Structures are given as structure tokens and as C-alpha cells.
Amino acid sequence: MKRTKFILMAVVVALVLMGAGYAAWSQVFELRGTVSTGELFVDVTQGDHEYEVLDSDGEIVTDGELDTKEDYLDLSVNSSKTGEGEGETLTEINFTLNDMYPGTRVISNLKFTNRGTIKTVAALDEEDFSMPEDLILEFKIQVEGQEITVDGNNLSELLEYLVLEPNDDMEVTVIQEFPHESGNDTEREQFTWSVPIIFEQYNR
């Protein structure tokens, strides 16, 4: 019996020593990581503004630079986050054309610059976008000097161009013309339109 107890005791001691041995040879690895998030921001700045006066044949009678504080055009640009953590930037470009008359044309140059750290694409705020049916102005849009298709409320071609890598910029020209054939019923009228563009991260 004593021998049996001795053997059991020896086994227990051996197991304890084995555990201590395993503990002595164990190794701990600590994994650490740092994650920084990017920034989405597309900056819109104004370039030159010009005006042209056309005759009934569409020929330019006179032209020149526009002073946006004193002449036909009052332009403001505002870029803001659409909401906390939404990863979107809403850019509002507000044109106010004053005292336009038939045969006048305003040409505005804008630059879109991706000042963030991620690739962006453009989309329309569908709820707020609709061109008024009674809009007497004719307008064209050029991207990097190339005229794009503007078909009523369809600005899909413009949105396809507005894909910007970080630090990329893109020139957009907006041409607004009060048609020469506009009648007297357009006198003292006010026409407004709005295109709210939302810039989103590319992989949305």
C-alpha cells in the first residue's frame, strides 16, 4: 500500500514538474495594429467668367470679362458634409443671373479638385433635382473643353466625367444663354434651377 501511495505521489510530482516545464517554454505574441481613416472632400473653385452679346444671327457683337459683383452674374459655391459619418460631400453651385436680356450669354469656369485621400464619384440628389419646364435659358456644359450631352433632367454624362482620384482636378465650363428669340413675355421674369451634386467614395 505504501508503495502504491509512493508511486501515485511520484506521478503527481512528475505531472506538476511537466506543467512547470511547459509553462517555462511558452511564448506570448502580442499583435498590435493602427488604422487611420481617410477623408472625402471635393473642393470647387471659380475660374474666369465672361459674357457675350449675340445678334439675331448668333454672331458675337461684343464680349468681355464679368465682374461677378457688378455684372449679370452672382455666383457662390458651397461644399459641406451631408451628415456625420455619411462619407458624402454636397456641393451647391448657385448662379444668380441679373438683368439678362435676349442675346446675352454667360460663360463660367469652375474647377473641381479632390483634396481628400480617396477616389470619388459624383451623383445627383434625386429628391432635390428637377429642371423647371419653363426654364427659358439654354445651357451647355463642357468638361475639359469637351461638350457633353445635357438632356433635360439627364446629366448622367456629366456624372460619368466627375470621377476624381486624390489630388486630381477637372475643369467644368457652364454656358448659359438667354435666347435671342425670347419674346416680351420673358421680361421681368425670374427663372431658377439647381443641380445639387453629391460626391461619394468610389466603392459605394
Side-chain angles (χ1 to χ4, degrees), residues 126-139:
E126 300 289 351
E127 294 182 0
D128 294 335
F129 173 61
S130 62
M131 299 296 281
E133 294 182 0
D134 61 349
L135 182 66
I136 195 65
L137 286 176
E138 295 179 356
F139 70 98

Side-chain angles (χ1 to χ4, degrees), residues 33-203:
T34 301
V35 178
S36 63
T37 59
E39 180 186 15
L40 190 155
F41 183 67
V42 176
D43 188 21
V44 184
T45 54
Q46 302 183 43
D48 296 329
H49 303 280
E50 302 173 354
Y51 75 92
E52 296 175 345
V53 179
L54 314 175
D55 62 18
S56 58
D57 295 324
E59 299 295 326
I60 299 175
V61 176
T62 184
D63 59 8
E65 293 185 4
L66 270 178
D67 183 336
T68 57
K69 294 181 180 178
E70 297 180 2
D71 291 317
Y72 308 115
L73 178 67
D74 178 18
L75 179 83
S76 66
V77 176
N78 177 48
S79 296
S80 60
K81 297 291 185 183
T82 58
E84 188 67 30
E86 291 186 12
E88 298 176 347
T89 300
L90 174 65
T91 296
E92 296 177 344
I93 303 171
N94 302 305
F95 293 92
T96 302
L97 277 66
N98 302 306
D99 299 326
M100 293 283 285
Y101 57 90
T104 52
R105 176 188 291 163
V106 172
I107 304 166
S108 304
N109 295 298
L110 306 172
K111 179 184 283 187
F112 292 78
T113 305
N114 184 355
R115 301 197 183 279
T117 59
I118 57 178
K119 186 176 180 180
T120 62
V121 294
L124 284 178
D125 187 339
E126 300 289 351
E127 294 182 0
D128 294 335
F129 173 61
S130 62
M131 299 296 281
E133 294 182 0
D134 61 349
L135 182 66
I136 195 65
L137 286 176
E138 295 179 356
F139 70 98
K140 301 175 182 178
I141 296 179
Q142 297 175 351
V143 178
E144 298 291 346
Q146 179 175 345
E147 187 169 328
I148 66 171
T149 302
V150 178
D151 181 17
N153 289 349
N154 183 7
L155 293 178
S156 58
E157 191 171 346
L158 171 62
L159 302 181
E160 289 175 6
Y161 275 92
L162 288 178
V163 178
L164 296 171
E165 297 280 357
N167 300 315
D168 274 0
D169 55 51
M170 187 168 292
E171 299 278 354
V172 176
T173 301
V174 180
I175 303 170
Q176 302 175 80
E177 181 180 335
F178 202 139
H180 200 282
E181 61 272 15
S182 299
N184 291 335
D185 57 341
T186 60
E187 191 174 353
R188 297 181 64 84
E189 290 289 331
Q190 182 177 7
F191 303 93
T192 61
W193 59 276
S194 175
V195 182
I197 299 175
I198 294 178
F199 288 94
E200 303 173 332
Q201 63 192 44
Y202 183 75
N203 59 341

Side-chain angles (χ1 to χ4, degrees), residues 18-32:
M18 287 176 65
Y22 279 123
W25 287 97
S26 65
Q27 184 176 358
V28 177
F29 288 93
E30 184 177 357
L31 300 179
R32 295 185 180 183

